[in-house]
């Protein structure tokens, strides 16, 4: 077992109840406990066999959308040392019918929106499509997605996003600022999804001269098949690539309490980037705004976003303190009751007090131990680290199966640059490229002229942003 959820793991060995309903391997309560406590990637199997969304292949969705156009991002299938960020891609608006015809090489594509892009040279994907938006006239379809089975009542397609891509479609190595990520594979193998926090490293073909530290990373590799659900824990780096002709995926980000601080960090990052980059000469040719954005938001709007983020953080903290106080009060009452029972026992009363005291003192450790006992097995597959000799990114890139590479984040994170998760393409890597260093380890004298981007690389370093966020939050408590 190397943590791969291959076809065998994806086979649906569902047990049937007396009335024919699916009997899932985990209850919603147990599934939520796993999702909220697990700190490593894993794949759920046999949890969505009765979801109507499993029928959402590209042909079905094309019929449902009935000629509605959506935006596709196109990138070259060639392998480069530099990741294909959004600013390096092309964009077209097309129907799913046109996309399917292009992916099949039909002659009708010679005059359609994909006419300039040869299928053998390009991949395409409709990324991050809000289901609530593209199916706004068909709200009944939201119920085809049932995250209630994962312990999140009422969560459906309305809180999910759709991804449709062709062979070779990929997203650069990145991490998600908010929450943990649940990804359902519907068609083909391996979904792909993205956020706006990217690494400079192309994990499929790393530039080890420029990023020598990347040699020390450990890859966790998984092939996700239809019907499986991948859990990507908070702040795990991941790179995703599709190999099948057509892939369809659905994902949902599960909110966490820690997201409030992340939103404060996002607002700070956004203010810094917009303020500094907007002050540059627009003719400099540095494309820093995503093609999906019309223009940079104003300082006033960014300041409003920062204040809202801080207010939400404070509100969450107050609620947490209130809850802890209530819990502490209940605990005090229980300890007082236990103390009284101990005294009764000392004067010859029944020994229930002793049993109660043992249960009380052992409760927290029992809960922690319970969370550590994750039920891995055929229904919950660990995504394990690759053996050292086979974990190089180059080896993974040439394998015949598609892979989702995950790397644990040890250096903090950026705040996201926009509440819609798509805005500025930035990096959280401030490492000086090796080829720009002299033999004594100091920067080359001929390359010491600093640019705006050099300054931003340091200012939006996750450690710096986190420190600024904490200082700002401390200021609000005064």
């Amino acid at each position: 077992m190397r943590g791969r959820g291959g076809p065998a793991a994806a086979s649906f060995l569902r047990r049937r109840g007396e009335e024919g309903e699916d009997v899932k391997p985990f209850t919603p309560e147990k599934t939520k406990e796993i999702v909220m406590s697990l700190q490593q990637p894993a794949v759920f199997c046999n949890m969505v066999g009765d979801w109507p969304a499993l029928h959402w292949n590209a042909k079905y969705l094309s019929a449902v959308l009935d000629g509605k156009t959506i935006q596709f991002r196109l990138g070259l299938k060639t392998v480069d040392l530099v990741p294909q960020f959004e600013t390096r891609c092309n964009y077209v608006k097309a129907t799913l019918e046109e996309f399917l015809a292009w992916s099949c090489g039909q002659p009708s594509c010679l005059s359609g929106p994909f006419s300039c892009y040869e299928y053998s040279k390009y991949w395409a994907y409709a990324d991050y499509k809000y289901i609530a938006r593209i199916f706004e006239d068909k709200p009944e379809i939201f119920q085809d997605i049932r995250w209630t089975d994962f312990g999140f009542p009422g969560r459906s397609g309305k809180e999910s996003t759709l991804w449709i891509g062709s062979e070779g479609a990929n997203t650069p190595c990145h991490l998600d600022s908010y929450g943990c990520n649940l990804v359902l594979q519907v068609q083909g193998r391996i979904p792909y999804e993205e956020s706006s926090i990217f690494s400079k490293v192309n994990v499929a073909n790393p530039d080890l001269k420029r990023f020598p530290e990347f040699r020390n990373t450990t890859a966790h590799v998984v092939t996700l098949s239809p019907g499986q659900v991948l859990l990507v824990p908070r702040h795990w780096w991941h790179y995703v690539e599709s190999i099948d002709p057509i892939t369809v995926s659905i994902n949902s980000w599960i909110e966490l309490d820690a997201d409030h601080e992340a939103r404060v960090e996002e607002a700070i990052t956004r203010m810094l980037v917009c303020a500094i980059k907007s002050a540059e000469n627009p003719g400099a040719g540095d494309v820093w705004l995503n093609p999906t954005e019309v223009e940079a938001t104003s300082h006033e709007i960014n300041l409003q976003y920062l204040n809202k983020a801080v207010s939400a953080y404070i509100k969450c903290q107050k609620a947490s303190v209130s809850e802890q106080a209530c819990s502490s009060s209940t605990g005090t009452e229980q300890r007082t009751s236990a103390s009284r029972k101990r005294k009764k026992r000392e004067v010859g009363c029944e020994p229930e007090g002793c049993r109660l005291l043992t249960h009380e003192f052992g409760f927290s450790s029992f809960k922690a131990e319970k969370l550590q006992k994750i039920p891995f097995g055929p229904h919950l597959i660990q995504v394990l680290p690759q053996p050292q000799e086979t974990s190089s990114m180059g080896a993974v890139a040439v394998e015949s199966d598609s892979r989702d590479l995950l790397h644990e984040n040890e250096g903090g994170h950026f705040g996201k640059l926009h509440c819609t998760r798509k805005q500025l393409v930035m990096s959280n890597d401030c490492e000086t490229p090796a080829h720009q260093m002299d033999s004594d380890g100091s920067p080359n004298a001929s390359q010491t002229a600093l640019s705006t981007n050099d300054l931003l690389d340091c200012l939006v370093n996750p450690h710096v942003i986190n420190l600024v966020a904490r200082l700002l939050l401390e200021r609000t408590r005064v």
Side-chain angles (χ1 to χ4, degrees), residues 98-283:
E98 291 169 326
F99 166 72
L100 290 172
W102 172 74
S103 65
C104 294
Q106 294 183 9
S108 59
C109 297
L110 297 176
S111 59
F114 293 98
S115 59
C116 297
Y117 306 97
E118 190 176 336
Y119 179 74
S120 62
K121 297 180 180 179
Y122 287 88
W123 50 258
Y125 75 97
D127 61 328
Y128 204 92
K129 303 305 177 190
Y130 286 98
I131 291 174
R133 188 173 299 166
I134 63 174
F135 295 114
E136 58 186 350
D137 57 336
K138 299 178 177 66
E140 66 278 2
I141 205 172
F142 301 162
Q143 303 310 314
D144 286 5
I145 301 165
R146 305 169 179 174
W147 296 115
T148 297
D149 289 340
F150 282 74
F152 303 98
R155 198 176 193 91
S156 65
K158 189 176 181 180
E159 296 81 22
S160 305
T161 50
L162 182 66
W163 312 78
I164 306 169
S166 66
E167 182 178 2
N170 66 83
T171 185
C173 183
H174 68 283
L175 63 82
D176 300 314
S177 293
Y178 306 146
C180 57
N181 190 5
L182 290 173
V183 186
L184 165 65
Q185 190 67 7
V186 176
Q187 179 181 359
R189 286 167 295 171
I190 283 302
Y192 54 94
E193 41 71 47
E194 72 184 274
S195 73
S196 55
I197 297 105
F198 294 101
S199 170
K200 289 179 180 177
V201 181
N202 182 359
V203 297
N205 187 35
D207 187 344
L208 297 178
K209 289 184 178 180
R210 190 181 181 194
F211 304 107
E213 291 289 326
F214 193 72
R215 295 180 187 274
N216 301 324
T217 61
T218 301
H220 293 63
V221 182
V222 62
T223 301
L224 198 63
S225 298
Q228 295 182 323
V229 177
L230 171 67
L231 166 65
V232 182
R234 184 174 186 263
H235 290 176
W236 271 70
W237 290 98
H238 48 295
Y239 163 84
V240 193
E241 183 174 334
S242 172
I243 61 162
D244 287 343
I246 301 293
T247 59
V248 177
S249 318
I250 298 168
N251 87 301
S252 189
W253 280 276
I254 307 301
E255 298 83 1
L256 301 171
D257 287 342
D259 293 346
H260 291 290
E261 186 172 351
R263 287 190 173 88
V264 174
E265 294 178 355
E266 167 190 90
I268 295 168
T269 303
R270 184 179 181 82
M271 286 194 71
L272 286 171
V273 174
C274 288
I276 295 177
K277 294 298 289 185
S278 296
E280 268 193 326
N281 179 5

Side-chain angles (χ1 to χ4, degrees), residues 392-403:
S392 76
M393 298 304 100
V396 172
V398 298
E399 289 182 353
S400 59
D401 289 337
S402 56
R403 298 287 183 255

